[in-house]
Amino acid sequence: MSSDNLACPSTSDLRTQPVAALDKEGIGPAMTSIPMIACSTSLSEHHSGGSGTNKNKQMVEQLQRYGLISSKKVVEVMETIDRALFVPDGTPAYVDSPMAIGYNATISAPHMHATCLQLLEENLQPGMHALDVGSGTGYLTACFATMVGPQGHAIGVEHIPELVASSIKNIEKSAAASLLKGGSLSVHAGDGREGWPEHAPYDAIHVGAAAPEIPQPLIDQLKPGGRMVIPVGKIFQDLQVVDKNLDGSVSIRSETAVRYVPLTSRDAQLKGY
């Protein structure tokens, strides 16, 4: 795994710096040009005081300040779902970096969460259905559920049963707890490459690991008018945006270069790929 180990710039240099567009699994950077907020020293100092809720809000404000969040709705949901509830105890929850969560997996850096939420925002309206493949600690699934509300449905699929169990506990402590209790949010153990047909079709699908090619079951389970965000590639990867048109045809574009671990089997992941 890798993390942001770049030197912290001065305040006057906090504009555009080459930093890692870090992935959910955090094994390596795809260098891109975005504002340098992935500096653990500066962020930890910025968040040194106040409650966890205040620190979470300050983290979101930092992302806004550096142009990584423009959507008011995404700001609202990221302020509502406290990241600290979804990272292991003792880790710096509000630093813009992925965090190891065990089982050769990590939780994404906040700026990657923001990127995916903004790309999917129009497909996460109240009453819509969302699928989170490789749901990990449950953070993004909780965000999806908050956006689609009690009349919608947010499904997390994770092939590590221990992560499924811990993610449910995380969600129970969060602002999305009532959605879990009410049944509009659920997390399941399974092979995310096969999707989750029970609640298909989906308006939004997010995939948190890189596929060599887009799995056909996920395309099949995407609703006409729906959107999927998925990293695709092996050594070189792109975060691809897949739109299913109303006639059933599919349009694909690349959003940015990324580096994710492979979308693979449980056994392969536990063996370190």
Side-chain angles (χ1 to χ4, degrees), residues 5 11 30 42-43 76 82 90 143-144 152 170 209 215 219 226 234 253 257:
N5 292 316
T11 302
S42 62
L43 276 178
E76 180 183 331
D82 188 349
C143 289
F144 290 167
N170 296 338
I219 294 175
K234 294 182 179 178
R253 66 176 174 85

Side-chain angles (χ1 to χ4, degrees), residues 131 133-134 157-159 190-196 207 215 217-218 263-264:
L131 176 65
V133 173
V157 179
E158 169 59 57
H159 61 193
D191 186 342
R193 296 172 295 183
E194 300 299 322
W196 197 257
V207 182
L218 298 183
L263 183 65
T264 186

Side-chain angles (χ1 to χ4, degrees), residues 241-262:
V241 179
V242 181
D243 290 309
K244 181 175 280 189
N245 303 310
L246 294 179
D247 64 2
S249 62
V250 173
S251 302
I252 302 173
R253 66 176 174 85
S254 294
E255 177 68 17
T256 187
V258 291
R259 184 74 180 273
Y260 282 67
V261 298

